[in-house]
Amino acid sequence: MPTRGSVLRVGITELRRRPGTQRLVALRTAIPGLAVTSARVPDDAELAIDLTLESVEGTAITARGTVGVPWVADCRRCLDVVSGTMVVEVREVYEAHPRDGETYPIEVDEIDLEPVVRDAVLLNLPISPLCRSDCEGPVPHDLPVTLPGEPLEDEHGDAPPKDPRWAALDDLNFDPS
Ligand SMILES: [Zn+2]
């Protein structure tokens, strides 16, 4: 919910006075409510917003840069929690008379970065996250579970299904060498 006084509202009076000048904006703040069906940004997670604002011909402001954002999701196969961090590219334009769906509004003497950040994040959250690329989903209860350290192949050369809950352990290196 955009509010007056939000750190994401940036005054642009100086910027518009001198077309061609740039202003670096580096903000670290949480934006609650960033979620799609498949994934979400924790409400208290800090976003790393690094944008260059540039005044163009005194009539428009461009915002270019990146937004770094942590996300969490449920693996679409085994429903385990998956998390990660993504860096989203931002390239947007603010205008006094914005074109619907294309540019963002300049509000007299300031712009609100929140809708730009919000749109960029929502468009880039994972839509079908996997805990690992070869996740095979939950193991049926009647199949044996393979523990780390046990041979992965039986005498026929078939790899038995692995319990995805052990997947994280595969990344650990127990070998001291
Ligand atoms: Zn999974």
Side-chain angles (χ1 to χ4, degrees), residues 45-57:
E46 189 173 73
L47 282 70
I49 301 164
D50 293 289
L51 299 176
T52 301
L53 306 182
E54 182 171 350
S55 172
V56 181
E57 294 167 4

Side-chain angles (χ1 to χ4, degrees), residues 5 31 45 69 82 101 110 149-150 155 159:
I31 301 181
V69 52
V82 191
E110 63 180 17
E150 290 184 1
E155 60 199 280

Side-chain angles (χ1 to χ4, degrees), residues 30-110:
I31 301 181
L34 293 174
V36 294
T37 311
S38 55
R40 66 196 177 278
V41 178
D43 280 350
D44 58 352
E46 189 173 73
L47 282 70
I49 301 164
D50 293 289
L51 299 176
T52 301
L53 306 182
E54 182 171 350
S55 172
V56 181
E57 294 167 4
T59 59
I61 304 281
T62 60
R64 289 169 298 163
T66 57
V67 177
V69 52
W71 55 268
V72 293
D74 297 325
C75 172
R76 72 179 146 95
R77 292 191 187 142
C78 71
L79 300 182
D80 266 2
V81 174
V82 191
S83 63
T85 301
M86 63 180 185
V87 176
V88 180
E89 297 274 339
V90 170
R91 249 185 138 73
E92 298 296 347
V93 176
Y94 287 84
E95 295 180 307
H97 304 287
R99 286 163 286 157
D100 200 25
E102 291 186 44
T103 58
Y104 293 82
I106 292 176
E107 298 158 27
V108 188
D109 58 353
E110 63 180 17

